[in-house]
């Protein structure tokens, strides 16, 4: 008999019809009621067993974690908590699960930290089931948003010879023998003998290649893994994360901000509609977590309220210079409550500053523009003041920076000059500069950190809990 998913069973009218369902046992009580989950929805489905029909030997094998297949009749349920249930006629154990050894006993609720150590099993919990269904919906919504607008999904390389951000935070890719690498005349490693005949690394961003695409297809977006060897052990950094990078010809910074804001609202709204049960569940989880925190650290809004608020209100838009003024003059700074005091123009904003602007001052998402050029990447368009660039960062409550982008420097001379100032290898990036030589145009783009978006929508406090297998310093398990 063909299997019906639990999500579909819940939509059916129970009339005693025979159905088959398969899934993992969440709980088994009174030797009679099995709560079965197959991941298609947050909800478990109740299976009722008739002890005589099932037999003692089989009963023992129905333990939490076991995988079973049940065929039986779909009936309206007498009990509380569910509208339908299946009265089992036939049961087959597809995979036994030793209850003594199974680490996910529901009795004592496992902590998120512990679940990270058994990340191969954590999908089986309500929390992670919900998180990864929401993650899937957000990815789908991103593709839908850009496709509705006629953007072309472009795949940029994972292995590359260039450092798109110029920040030197790359993982090397090599097939050279690290014990005994070939050396050149100067005694340095000779990468001419490496697999690609040159030094290569994992990409930190697909932007430069994305710009090439936009200079022909007008509007493109990438959605792929990116890698950063920055030694940041925080709740918002991963060494391997997924980034969405749209790049648009003929867009200036305002167009760039408009589409970024529209996209964020679109995908959040989409998830709120499609995954309302999951998000309701995650909201309750987040609320309980908030209660553990001291009063002054608690978020003012619950998860649902925060999500609805973000899609219904315009994001605040201010320049870096205005932000510095706000921060410099705020009581928090005057009372020296920031770890890093804000005393002068030009400093890089710390996450405590970003969060102050978003959570305390504006109380909504904020787009900061026109940063000092010294703290931003080489490709950003220079303003006439010679001090700032057409950058934009979008800051979200509880997250900080979720998007980083800019209008690009399309003027060849200015770009080359900036690359020289930053000591970047102009020769090696000749292919990139060709876009400025052969029919260049004003253009802009941004990068959205996908895990930070998933964090925002699920209310999960640690970025390691929104990617199936997190990669962080000293951790590449599974
Ligand atoms: O601000 P970033 O470094 O910008 C770029 O890479 C540009 N090339 C994007 C572009 O204009 N096409 O990164 C963009 C976003 C950040 O705002 C953040 O959300 C996320 O990527 N991000 C990370 N997410 C998780 N872990 C990390 N280590 C991240 N680094 C950046
Ligand atoms: Mg950034």
């Amino acid at each position: 008999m063909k299997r019906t998913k639990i999500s579909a069973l819940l939509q059916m009218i129970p009339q005693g019809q025979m159905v088959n369902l398969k899934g993992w046992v969440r709980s088994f009580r009174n030797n009679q009621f099995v709560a079965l989950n197959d991941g298609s929805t947050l909800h478990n489905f109740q299976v009722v067993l008739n002890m005589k029909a099932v037999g003692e030997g089989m009963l023992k094998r129905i333990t939490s974690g076991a995988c079973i297949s049940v065929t039986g009749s779909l009936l309206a349920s007498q009990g509380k908590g569910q509208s339908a249930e299946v009265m089992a006629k036939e049961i087959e154990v597809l995979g036994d699960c030793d209850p003594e050894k199974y680490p996910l006993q529901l009795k004592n609720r496992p902590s998120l930290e512990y679940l990270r150590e058994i990340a191969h099993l954590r999908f089986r919990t309500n929390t992670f089931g919900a998180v990864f269904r929401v993650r899937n919906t957000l990815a789908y919504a991103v593709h839908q948003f850009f496709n509705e607008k006629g953007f072309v999904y472009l795949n940029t390389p994972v292995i590359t010879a260039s450092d798109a951000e110029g920040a030197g935070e790359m993982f090397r890719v090599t097939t050279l023998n690290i014990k005994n690498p070939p050396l050149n005349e100067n005694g340095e490693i000779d990468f001419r003998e490496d697999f690609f005949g040159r030094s290569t690394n994992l990409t930190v961003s697909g932007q430069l290649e994305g710009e090439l695409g936009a200079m022909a297809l007008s509007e493109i977006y990438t959605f792929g893994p990116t890698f950063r060897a920055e030694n940041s052990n925080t709740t918002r950094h991963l060494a391997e994360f997924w980034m969405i990078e749209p790049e648009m010809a003929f867009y200036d910074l305002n167009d760039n901000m408009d589409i970024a804001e529209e996209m964020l609202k679109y995908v959040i709204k989409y998830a709120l509609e499609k995954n309302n049960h999951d998000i309701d569940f995650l909201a309750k989880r987040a609320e309980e977590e908030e209660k553990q925190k001291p009063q002054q650290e608690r978020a003012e809004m619950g998860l649902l309220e925060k999500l609805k608020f973000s899609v219904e209100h315009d994001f605040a838009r201010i320049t870096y210079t205005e932000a510095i003024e706000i921060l410099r003059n705020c009581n928090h700074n005057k009372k020296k409550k920031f770890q890093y005091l804000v005393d002068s123009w030009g400093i890089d904003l710390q996450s405590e500053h970003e969060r102050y602007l978003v959570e305390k001052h504006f109380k909504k998402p904020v787009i900061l523009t026109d940063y000092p050029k010294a703290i931003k990447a080489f490709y950003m368009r220079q303003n006439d003041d010679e001090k700032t660039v057409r950058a934009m960062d979008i800051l979200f409550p509880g997250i900080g920076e979720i998007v980083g982008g800019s209008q690009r420097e399309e003027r060849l001379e200015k770009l080359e000059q900036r690359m020289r100032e930053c000591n970047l290898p102009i020769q090696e990036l000749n292919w990139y500069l060709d876009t400025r030589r052969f029919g260049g145009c004003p253009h802009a783009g941004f990068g959205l950190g996908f895990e930070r978006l998933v964090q925002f929508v699920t209310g999960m406090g640690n970025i390691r809990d929104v990617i199936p297998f997190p990669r962080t310093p000293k951790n590449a398990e599974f």
Side-chain angles (χ1 to χ4, degrees), residues 7 31 41 50 59 74 94 126 138 145 168 206 218 269 284 286 292 358 372 414 427 429 434:
S7 55
N31 269 348
T41 156
N50 176 335
L59 273 186
L74 184 64
L94 301 175
N126 282 336
L138 287 169
F145 175 82
S218 291
K269 224 162 127 188
K284 292 200 187 82
Q292 314 294 320
V358 172
K414 294 241 176 211
Q427 270 312 310
L429 285 173
D434 267 356

Side-chain angles (χ1 to χ4, degrees), residues 219 293 301 331 354 393:
E219 290 154 327
K293 294 184 188 164
M301 287 185 203
N331 275 333
E354 297 177 341
D393 277 7

Side-chain angles (χ1 to χ4, degrees), residues 165 205 207 228 230 238 243 245 401-404 408 447 449:
E165 291 299 299
S205 157
Q207 179 195 319
R228 300 216 179 155
E230 54 187 333
L238 291 164
M243 186 152 59
E245 294 187 275
E401 181 190 336
I402 195 165
V403 161
R408 315 306 187 191

Side-chain angles (χ1 to χ4, degrees), residues 39-42 123 125-143 223 244 264 266-283 285 303-304 307 450-460 465-468:
S40 61
T41 156
L42 180 72
F123 302 107
T125 62
N126 282 336
T127 298
F128 286 94
V131 165
F132 292 117
R133 278 187 298 272
V134 171
R135 183 181 165 110
N136 170 62
T137 297
L138 287 169
Y140 184 84
V142 164
H143 283 296
F223 191 160
I244 295 129
L264 286 165
Y266 179 101
V267 300
I268 295 168
K269 224 162 127 188
Y270 194 95
L272 274 170
E273 281 163 21
K274 178 88 196 301
N275 291 71
N276 57 336
H277 293 302
D278 288 322
I279 295 177
D280 277 346
F281 172 83
L282 291 165
R285 198 207 66 83
L303 178 62
L304 276 178
L307 295 177
F450 187 53
E451 283 74 22
R452 293 196 187 170
L453 171 68
V454 182
Q455 257 192 297
F456 182 71
V457 178
T458 59
M460 298 299 282
D465 296 332
V466 300
I467 186 163

Side-chain angles (χ1 to χ4, degrees), residues 112-355:
L112 294 174
E113 289 77 16
Y114 172 64
L115 288 171
R116 240 169 262 150
E117 287 168 26
I118 51 162
H120 55 305
L121 293 172
R122 66 179 180 170
F123 302 107
R124 301 231 194 139
T125 62
N126 282 336
T127 298
F128 286 94
V131 165
F132 292 117
R133 278 187 298 272
V134 171
R135 183 181 165 110
N136 170 62
T137 297
L138 287 169
Y140 184 84
V142 164
H143 283 296
Q144 182 155 301
F145 175 82
F146 285 118
N147 277 278
E148 278 173 1
K149 293 213 174 284
F151 281 55
V152 175
Y153 175 39
L154 195 76
N155 300 116
T156 50
V158 170
I159 301 174
T160 162
S162 51
D163 179 359
E165 291 299 299
E169 292 171 335
M170 299 177 297
F171 288 101
R172 181 177 296 289
V173 174
T174 182
T175 54
L176 291 179
N177 177 354
I178 55 168
K179 283 195 189 131
N180 184 23
L183 301 178
N184 64 18
E185 311 77 59
N186 303 326
E188 294 153 350
I189 295 177
D190 189 357
F191 287 104
R192 284 173 303 184
E193 293 195 26
D194 204 347
F195 188 93
F196 296 104
R198 60 196 298 182
S199 164
T200 50
N201 46 265
L202 294 176
T203 185
V204 293
S205 157
Q207 179 195 319
L208 304 190
E209 292 89 350
E211 285 187 52
L212 310 184
M215 293 298 101
L217 300 161
S218 291
E219 290 154 327
I220 64 95
Y221 72 104
T222 74
F223 191 160
T226 39
F227 307 86
R228 300 216 179 155
E230 54 187 333
N231 204 358
S232 309
N233 252 311
T234 78
T235 53
R236 288 169 308 109
H237 288 86
L238 291 164
E240 177 178 306
F241 65 98
W242 287 65
M243 186 152 59
I244 295 129
E245 294 187 275
E247 192 68 37
M248 297 78 64
F250 321 120
Y251 276 48
D252 65 14
L253 192 69
N254 285 320
D255 303 323
N256 202 21
M257 288 192 276
D258 288 345
I259 197 164
E261 181 169 343
E262 188 186 344
M263 179 200 57
L264 286 165
K265 288 177 173 169
Y266 179 101
V267 300
I268 295 168
K269 224 162 127 188
Y270 194 95
L272 274 170
E273 281 163 21
K274 178 88 196 301
N275 291 71
N276 57 336
H277 293 302
D278 288 322
I279 295 177
D280 277 346
F281 172 83
L282 291 165
K284 292 200 187 82
R285 198 207 66 83
E287 200 182 306
E288 277 170 35
E289 206 174 69
E290 279 299 302
K291 284 189 198 143
Q292 314 294 320
K293 294 184 188 164
Q295 191 82 40
Q296 73 269 27
E297 280 177 33
R298 288 185 205 163
E300 283 174 26
M301 287 185 203
L303 178 62
L304 276 178
E305 211 187 336
K306 186 181 75 177
L307 295 177
K308 287 184 185 146
F309 185 89
S310 314
V311 298
E312 282 162 9
H313 293 83
D314 288 343
F315 296 179
R317 297 182 183 193
I318 58 163
T319 65
Y320 167 91
T321 305
E322 287 163 337
I324 288 289
E325 279 314 299
I326 292 170
L327 290 168
R328 190 150 53 181
N329 296 320
C330 74
N331 275 333
H332 209 75
N333 193 52
K334 287 182 180 156
K335 290 186 186 156
K336 303 200 188 316
K337 284 195 184 153
F338 286 128
Q339 201 185 336
Y340 296 87
L341 292 183
V342 181
D343 47 14
S344 60
W345 191 93
I347 60 159
D348 206 352
L349 296 182
Q350 302 293 324
S351 68
E352 58 176 344
H353 306 139
E354 297 177 341
R355 294 188 61 168

